[in-house]
Amino acid sequence: MAGSLQLIPLVDFPLVEPGDDLAQLICTSLAYNALDLTPGDILVLAQKIVSKAEDCYALLSEVEPSAAALELASQANKDPRQAELILRESREVLRVRPGVVIVEHRNGYVHANAGIDKSNISIDQQDPRVLLLPHDPDKSAAELRRALGTRTGVTPQIIINDSAGRAWRNGTVGIAIGTAGLNPLFNQVGERDIFGNVLEVTEPAVADELAAAASLVMGQAAEACPVVLVRGAEFPEFDGGSTSLLRERSMDMFR
Amino acid sequence: MAGSLQLIPLVDFPLVEPGDDLAQLICTSLAYNALDLTPGDILVLAQKIVSKAEDCYALLSEVEPSAAALELASQANKDPRQAELILRESREVLRVRPGVVIVEHRNGYVHANAGIDKSNISIDQQDPRVLLLPHDPDKSAAELRRALGTRTGVTPQIIINDSAGRAWRNGTVGIAIGTAGLNPLFNQVGERDIFGNVLEVTEPAVADELAAAASLVMGQAAEACPVVLVRGAEFPEFDGGSTSLLRERSMDMFR
């Protein structure tokens, strides 16, 4: 971690359509941006482009709201079809207020509206569609990591990020919903600080910190810059995904 | 926000002692690191060095635990004197489990153990001392901003960060506990995305995202690199501190 950290946006990244090969788009965009992958690089991708490539759209016209969705829609003042999608995408509804439904997403993260997004997708008013989160972002990240390794000879670490609200604090921050190749928690428990005291519990969620940093660079209109290259972090290789970021319900004091 | 974001650690920053002039230390360290402040620069400081410069130490031998502190210490399995300090530094205790006390700090943030820190301070076993958060981090940030402006002719934006645990997710992330000169929430409500849809609610907590990014660069042994220069963000000037990051209790679904 000595030295600078650089976050480089891949500018003019193309709009992503269902079926697109993200590894190929990224390689083309790296070349366009006069960049080569180098060992230690991390690529952070906005969730939206992964969902689009994987065709995670849902047409509201094809959604039949259940009785539970009608009830939720009424409580939350939402379109019943959107409420139905939120329920389908969730394990549990944690809180409901007008305009907001906080759930545990089927992938485990606590997220408003199950991460279902209406912004930055072209809305055909005749038949509006919404964009769901990727089916399995850790798998998406791992596949992209492999594909980029094959194409370029360098295997970058991958983070798929999303903007998320939080308890206690206003505003959204980028969080990691999928990772490949890096340990999302940098476990320093038992190491010593510079005075020789044993660090008691210090487990920075580095994947979330990287996701937040990249989110700054992506800006909010993420389609315009949905991929950020992070250089200089140099985290050790890790074989696994992002599930260690999710606090077990039994350990969570704030549900 | 076009272009790269660079996070540059001020290496070999000296150990900070009570009464030290942080503006002077930073100027000396910038020169040592062959850096000049330029307009748009943001400096992120670890809370710890601000607390040390402001002598926010407390000697445990001088703390007399109240009855409430004895009760809290018993519930949380903590030193009663530390429990007393947590209570003094807090408005309200939100949750208690063995080893963990989650409070609303007197400055408004929800924080474990009221942010009281035992790591990276030299512990005299005869008379251990702990480090409290700065009395008013927004004021500390504003004063540093002014002092640096006077000294260098360039007035950087300032963030004081700390590592904080979160609801729902494991690991800590850097958050902003004090800011000066930048709007901690980048309000985009009402702007349009690239498809012309009105962005409904998009308010990135940019100060927290910057705090998280800098936290990565500081690493956990923050004394070794407690100041990070962020270049390339270029947020508009803002006259105010960080209180907009704090969700009002009445608006918080997770207390």
Side-chain angles (χ1 to χ4, degrees), chain A residues 63-137:
Chain A
V63 177
E64 191 66 48
S66 62
L70 291 169
E71 170 69 20
L72 177 61
S74 152
Q75 287 176 7
N77 194 25
K78 284 195 177 287
D79 186 315
R81 301 166 299 177
Q82 198 188 352
E84 173 65 27
L85 290 172
I86 291 172
L87 289 177
R88 287 184 197 169
E89 289 285 288
S90 305
R91 289 179 188 158
E92 185 185 2
V93 175
L94 300 181
R95 299 284 192 283
V96 182
R97 280 193 187 175
V100 189
V101 180
I102 312 287
V103 304
E104 181 179 318
H105 188 273
R106 59 178 169 69
N107 286 333
Y109 12 86
V110 174
H111 217 358
N113 304 321
I116 297 172
D117 200 342
K118 289 189 298 182
S119 66
N120 280 322
I121 57 174
S122 57
I123 294 180
D124 175 349
Q125 292 303 326
Q126 299 304 306
D127 193 359
R129 60 180 187 171
V130 296
L131 190 59
L132 311 181
L133 296 190
H135 180 68
D136 181 348

Side-chain angles (χ1 to χ4, degrees), chain A residues 1 5 7 95 120-121 166 169-170 172 174 188 193 197 203 205 208-209 215-216 220 245 247 253, chain B residues 1 5 7 95 120-121 166 169-170 172 174 188 193 197 205 208-209 215-216 220 245 247 253:
Chain A
M1 288 301 305
L5 188 70
L7 293 110
R95 299 284 192 283
N120 280 322
I121 57 174
R166 308 166 290 171
R169 296 177 75 76
N170 291 318
T172 59
Q188 293 181 301
D193 69 14
N197 307 318
E203 214 173 30
D208 281 337
E209 294 189 318
S215 165
L216 269 176
Q220 198 52 22
L245 288 170
R247 182 167 293 151
M253 293 186 270
Chain B
M1 289 303 304
L5 188 71
L7 291 110
R95 298 286 192 284
N120 279 321
I121 57 176
R166 309 165 290 171
R169 296 176 75 77
N170 291 318
T172 59
Q188 294 181 302
D193 69 17
N197 307 318
D208 281 336
E209 293 189 319
S215 164
L216 269 176
Q220 199 52 20
L245 288 170
R247 181 168 293 149
M253 292 186 272

Side-chain angles (χ1 to χ4, degrees), chain A residues 8-10 27 29-37 229 231:
Chain A
I8 307 164
L10 301 194
C27 288
S29 181
L30 284 167
Y32 174 87
N33 282 271
L35 291 164
D36 279 316
L37 285 182
L229 176 64
R231 188 159 276 173

Side-chain angles (χ1 to χ4, degrees), chain B residues 83-104:
Chain B
E84 173 65 27
L85 289 172
I86 291 172
L87 289 177
R88 288 184 197 169
E89 288 286 287
S90 305
R91 289 178 188 159
E92 185 185 359
V93 176
L94 300 181
R95 298 286 192 284
V96 182
R97 280 194 187 174
V100 189
V101 181
I102 313 286
V103 304
E104 181 179 317

